[in-house]
Amino acid sequence: MSPIHGLYAITDPGLTPDERLLPAAEAALFGGARLLQYRDKTASQDQRRRRASQLRGLCHEYDARFIVNDDPTLAAEVGADGVHIGQSDGGIAAARALLGDQRIIGVTCHGDLALARAAAEAGADYLAMGRFFPSRTKPQAPPAEIASLAQACQEFHLPVVAIGGVNADNAPQLIQAGAASVAVIEALFGHSDPADIEAAARTLSALF
């Protein structure tokens, strides 16, 4: 089975500040998250390096994949399993040159099949599409149609990750459309109690 499958947890500095980051991440992993992305655009480089190293170790304890957001250099430094890049983060070729062929490179494609096609042709390992539902963590992200998700899943021989306001109630329609994975932020880390994060992760993981 592809490593891009099941629940994909994404941290958020507002929901998982420094003292909560590791307990929250471990709760999500214990609940069944198969991938964890470290996303923090506000911390210093030293803080990000330290936190990424800690999260990498934690993910490997749970046999989950650790992905760094937007920063191939940091991903290489800490030995992450891969990187997730947007449309303005240097491109797949530059990330591949840093990380090599064995690491995962995921690419944000919004709801745009042309972007997805370009990413697939450039060697992406997965395509991230969304936002499919209203999102409080990324409210400005352009909306995407589930029909575009279904078409991408049929057209490209790559795992597609669905993102954007995903929770246990709406995730089934994304999985039914073909999503190999759903990326979740607030429906996991919006909970303050690690026990509630774990329970939410178990519910979402069970959908697969």
Side-chain angles (χ1 to χ4, degrees), residues 3-146:
I4 313 302
H5 181 81
L7 175 59
Y8 188 156
I10 301 180
T11 69
D12 177 89
L15 298 175
T16 51
D18 196 24
E19 70 280 359
R20 287 193 57 219
L21 179 60
L22 288 179
E26 183 161 21
L29 293 164
F30 193 63
R34 304 310 306 137
L35 302 105
L36 179 81
Q37 183 185 130
Y38 173 52
R39 181 176 180 273
D40 187 346
K41 301 176 187 293
T42 59
S44 71
Q45 193 64 19
D46 284 345
Q47 288 174 318
R48 295 175 73 243
R49 190 178 296 111
R50 173 176 58 82
R51 294 168 185 169
S53 295
Q54 291 172 324
L55 288 170
R56 175 196 173 277
L58 193 60
C59 284
H60 289 189
E61 284 181 33
Y62 286 88
D63 195 28
R65 299 301 198 278
F66 176 59
I67 308 294
V68 169
N69 177 265
D70 283 358
D71 194 336
T73 300
L74 178 61
E77 285 178 1
V78 303
D81 296 297
V83 68
H84 181 91
I85 57 175
Q87 291 295 318
S88 58
D89 293 323
I92 294 170
R96 188 66 74 193
L98 269 173
L99 295 173
D101 291 337
Q102 300 306 309
R103 305 294 175 91
I104 297 165
I105 297 177
V107 181
T108 295
C109 302
H110 305 295
D112 190 326
L113 290 168
L115 292 178
R117 193 170 296 111
E121 291 172 355
D125 293 299
Y126 73 82
L127 311 172
M129 300 193 72
R131 97 189 131 81
F132 292 103
F133 307 103
S135 168
R136 285 198 284 186
T137 52
K138 297 191 78 172
Q140 304 308 316
E145 299 295 329
I146 293 178

Side-chain angles (χ1 to χ4, degrees), residues 171-191:
Q173 55 192 297
L174 302 172
I175 297 168
Q176 186 174 8
S181 175
V182 293
V184 180
I185 304 174
E186 188 172 14
L188 283 174
F189 299 124
H191 298 286

